[in-house]
Amino acid sequence: MEGGISSWQVLALTSVLSWVVASSFFDLTRRVRALLQPWVTRRVLVDTPLILRFQRWHRTSLDNMFSVLSCIVSVPFYTGFLPLLFWSGHSKLARQMTLLMAFCVYIGNSIKDVVSAPRPSCPPVRRVTATKDEKENAMEFGLPSSHALNTVCFSGYLLHYVLTYGPQTNALHIAAGFAIVFLLVMLIGIGRVYLGMHSLIDVVAGIGFGLAILAFWLAVDGYIDNFIISGQNVTSFWASLSFLLCFAYPTPEFPTPSFEYHAAFTGVAFGIVSGVQQTYLLFHHEDVPHIFSSQLTLPVFVGRVLVGIPTILAVKFCSKAIAKWLLPVMGNTLGIPIVSSCYVPALKASDGSKNKSEGKQAGYLQKVLIFSPQQACDVDTGIRFLQYAGLAWSVVDFVPTLFSHLNL
């Protein structure tokens, strides 16, 4: 399957690199932010009375309901749901949704950090952050709402897949499917406002960007899937693309967790692509048994879950440990100054040096150019990428190999 790099791959990688250089040279992030941030900030302030009216209906039951709904598009949900989708025999749906979510995280978080618009002010707005994930989300910028964007893409693509590849449906089933998706998106959007996490403009922007991304993905998903399962130079191309996308991420007004989520999902996408490309004919072709069939009964699937979940968590832990050891060694060997924000205590930078070397979210061009003695690379990005790449690879390669040996 591997061969010489094709012209379109060269064009794609060159385009991303050219964007990095041009964005740095023309300082595009700051220019776009100067245009959009004041307007969005004013809209957030204008929306504050609307949020307060929503919150007059405060009930503990509503807090709990909207908090639970918000978990549907959270990182822990994806970590648990997508592996189950792979192991249930729906590999095509699982790999497409994984790549779509990685794309959504990159686009949505890039827009957040370009605009760098605030969330609704708390107080007067009451902000409900019932989970650790929500507390981290609250540290990000506001526009667009990632929950609204991801819900549109997640539920919309799932509906598309069911209508396209599922059993024959009639007009009533189609209408019911669209009604469920519409209701879910509306509940998520209302919940983000009710919980004080977003203003109305954030939710509207999230839905709008979500529809645009979903329409784009529906137009290209077939080509992407064909490339993954039968293309040339797949793993090396995706590794190069992942590397460049980490550098192509815009610099926010101040650091937020958005870049960390991007690095994690980029690692997940790479792990899935590299694993599926190597094992497609063994574990992920169209004729693999689906759950509830005679070849994959519910007890067998439960056995897969009991074996698979602890295994992928162990692989994630090992990948992180190896990356924490390997990347500092590589940096020292190559003479690249490195720091660590949290993963490697011995490499933590002092406050003074942090200001000089924010390698994790430095400007576009500074990330690509050779580091000067005053600039250091934050290895946490690489560690996060490798641990999630290892986790994703184990979902589609290592764990299915275990299943075959255990007759699961």
Side-chain angles (χ1 to χ4, degrees), residues 295 300 304 400-408:
Q295 297 97 332
V300 172
R304 288 186 172 190
T401 302
L402 283 180
F403 293 161
S404 67
H405 286 300
L406 297 173
N407 295 320
L408 289 175

Side-chain angles (χ1 to χ4, degrees), residues 187-264:
L187 284 174
I188 291 293
I190 292 171
R192 302 315 287 166
V193 175
Y194 171 85
L195 296 174
M197 295 293 290
H198 285 286
S199 61
L200 182 61
I201 187 65
D202 300 339
V203 173
V204 171
I207 294 174
F209 283 118
L211 290 172
I213 292 172
L214 179 61
F216 170 77
W217 197 261
L218 292 178
V220 302
D221 66 331
Y223 299 103
I224 294 174
D225 202 55
N226 288 336
F227 170 66
I228 292 172
I229 64 179
S230 61
Q232 292 186 337
N233 215 42
V234 177
T235 301
S236 56
F237 168 76
W238 212 278
S240 302
L241 180 64
S242 301
F243 179 77
L244 288 177
L245 286 179
C246 284
F247 294 130
Y249 192 87
T251 305
E253 195 168 45
F254 54 82
T256 72
S258 297
F259 180 77
E260 299 174 7
Y261 293 141
H262 156 62

Side-chain angles (χ1 to χ4, degrees), residues 44-45 47-48 51 117-127 142 192-193 196-200 202:
V44 173
L45 293 175
D47 288 345
T48 299
I51 301 172
R119 291 178 182 266
S121 179
C122 174
V125 169
R126 182 182 65 94
R127 183 169 296 161
R192 302 315 287 166
V193 175
M197 295 293 290
H198 285 286
S199 61
L200 182 61
D202 300 339

Side-chain angles (χ1 to χ4, degrees), residues 33-182:
R33 183 180 300 144
L35 291 174
L36 296 180
Q37 188 188 60
W39 182 82
V40 176
T41 302
R42 286 195 297 270
R43 289 304 313 170
V44 173
L45 293 175
V46 169
D47 288 345
T48 299
L50 174 64
I51 301 172
L52 294 176
R53 284 198 293 272
F54 265 84
Q55 294 189 335
R56 288 176 185 172
W57 296 91
H58 164 59
R59 300 287 187 280
T60 302
S61 57
L62 290 177
D63 289 358
N64 295 334
M65 183 188 76
F66 286 126
S67 295
V68 170
L69 281 175
S70 296
C71 294
I72 292 178
V73 284
S74 65
V75 173
F77 173 78
Y78 294 134
T79 303
F81 176 75
L82 293 173
L84 302 186
L85 206 55
F86 275 107
W87 302 336
S88 67
H90 296 282
S91 179
K92 183 174 183 177
L93 173 61
R95 60 181 178 263
Q96 281 297 312
M97 294 194 76
T98 301
L99 297 179
L100 175 57
M101 288 300 101
F103 187 58
C104 287
V105 169
Y106 177 74
I107 297 297
N109 287 5
S110 292
I111 296 171
K112 278 179 184 287
D113 284 352
V114 166
V115 180
S116 295
R119 291 178 182 266
S121 179
C122 174
V125 169
R126 182 182 65 94
R127 183 169 296 161
V128 181
T129 53
T131 64
K132 179 182 177 182
D133 191 62
E134 282 287 74
K135 292 176 182 178
E136 292 180 352
N137 289 335
M139 297 170 62
E140 297 181 304
F141 292 110
L143 185 140
S145 166
S146 296
H147 281 72
L149 189 157
N150 292 343
T151 303
V152 169
C153 292
F154 185 89
S155 58
Y157 190 83
L158 182 59
L159 176 62
H160 158 76
Y161 188 89
V162 170
L163 295 180
T164 304
Y165 300 102
Q168 188 174 5
T169 55
N170 54 35
L172 180 60
H173 294 150
I174 295 173
F178 276 99
I180 292 172
V181 169
F182 178 81

